[in-house]
Amino acid sequence: DLKKIPQDKLPMVCLTNGYMSLFGFVICTATHDFWSHAMWLISPAEFASQHFWFRTFSIDHYNRHSIKLWYNPDWTEGERLVLQVAIWERLKLPRWKTRYDVIGVIGEAIGVKWFNRKDLDFCSESIRMLSLVDKEYKKWLEEVKNPTPEQVNSYLKARPKYQVFGRVQPG
């Protein structure tokens, strides 16, 4: 039950498979991956997620999705605060500054990487705040400039400091 996750474990990187949504299905089909979305769990009641713009969603919005929750049990209170502040600062930006990189997705789909806008994000690019508390992730992002949700998952799986807190399956 996501509503019972203690606040002192947050934020958490969350990956979802939205096979019940058209956009999620298209992403999984195009990338040949299971995970189609990446976002942050910022409270037991809401996610911060790159949608048409970076915004919050009630956890109930994702009740038809498989969700995998990642966290680092060794993060200090200060590191969690750094992440929370970065997420909330992005949420405060005007919608036009955090809109989804639709053209970049089209570019990825047809193999034209230069379509990707550096000032706009895909969902998995909005996980870049992790680089504020993980120098290795920052270096990884220099190599993997536009990670997919599955690439974020692979990065986290390859590092013992990150653990799966839990999984949620639609009822």
Side-chain angles (χ1 to χ4, degrees), residues 41-76:
L41 180 64
I42 58 172
S43 83
E46 67 187 341
F47 294 105
S49 179
Q50 184 66 50
H51 196 56
F52 292 114
W53 63 90
F54 193 67
R55 58 174 280 208
T56 60
F57 284 92
S58 161
I59 59 169
D60 296 331
H61 181 82
Y62 288 94
N63 64 2
R64 293 176 40 189
H65 292 73
S66 296
I67 304 172
K68 184 177 187 180
L69 301 110
W70 284 99
Y71 85 120
N72 182 335
D74 297 326
W75 278 341
T76 65

Side-chain angles (χ1 to χ4, degrees), residues 19-42:
Y19 54 85
M20 300 292 282
S21 78
L22 178 62
F23 197 64
F25 177 76
V26 169
I27 290 171
C28 286
T29 302
T31 62
H32 307 288
D33 292 329
F34 181 76
W35 300 111
S36 61
H37 189 64
M39 60 188 170
W40 292 97
L41 180 64
I42 58 172

Side-chain angles (χ1 to χ4, degrees), residues 127-144:
I127 304 302
R128 75 174 165 277
M129 286 93 138
L130 187 57
S131 67
L132 297 171
V133 297
D134 182 342
K135 291 180 182 8
E136 202 176 331
Y137 190 74
K138 185 175 185 172
K139 184 175 171 71
W140 181 76
L141 284 177
E142 291 171 9
E143 297 170 23
V144 183

